[in-house]
Amino acid sequence: MVKMVVLLVRKESFTHEEFKSYWEEEHAPLVEDLPNVQRYTTSLPTDPEKSAYDGIAELYFEDMAALGDAFDSEAGDALLADAAEFSDQEAGEVMYMEETEQFSAR
């Protein structure tokens, strides 16, 4: 399993609350159209004024080929175009990772 981690920074024209609303109501539903995505999670800081990022998105794929195919699709193009509407693409970061669970509470 491969995880794409996106560290999001809102556009200056958005308040944190506007960013959150757009992300959850407009952008997140577009992820469902993305081919091959296995799981999608979002995280918001508890104190946005003290955080370097306004949010974290995690998208899970079977492998890098599946991830590549997803973003080479029309849905991938639409998702990336929409991300540019509410997030500063230059300020954010993207990482591709393999997740290893070290511990899980029962």
Side-chain angles (χ1 to χ4, degrees):
M1 185 76 56
V2 171
K3 177 169 61 171
M4 177 182 177
V5 178
V6 184
L7 305 174
L8 294 149
V9 175
R10 64 184 161 85
K11 282 191 165 182
E12 286 188 25
S13 59
F14 280 71
T15 65
H16 183 76
E17 192 57 41
E18 290 169 336
F19 166 86
K20 176 185 179 291
S21 293
Y22 189 97
W23 187 18
E24 292 175 346
E25 296 168 19
E26 305 293 330
H27 187 75
L30 298 177
V31 179
E32 291 184 52
D33 296 332
L34 199 60
N36 306 319
V37 68
Q38 302 291 310
R39 183 174 177 216
Y40 175 59
T41 65
T42 61
S43 301
L44 291 161
T46 56
D47 190 348
E49 298 306 316
K50 293 182 181 177
S51 180
Y53 298 99
D54 291 284
I56 299 172
E58 296 175 303
L59 294 88
Y60 293 77
F61 297 89
E62 189 63 38
D63 52 35
M64 287 301 291
L67 186 154
D69 290 345
F71 284 95
D72 285 341
S73 70
E74 285 184 27
D77 291 341
L79 188 67
L80 293 174
D82 189 66
E85 293 295 317
F86 72 104
S87 64
D88 182 339
Q89 300 294 286
E90 298 297 317
E93 295 186 47
V94 178
M95 298 178 286
Y96 305 96
M97 311 174 136
E98 289 192 30
E99 182 176 80
T100 303
E101 185 172 322
Q102 301 295 331
F103 174 84
S104 182
R106 295 170 213 220

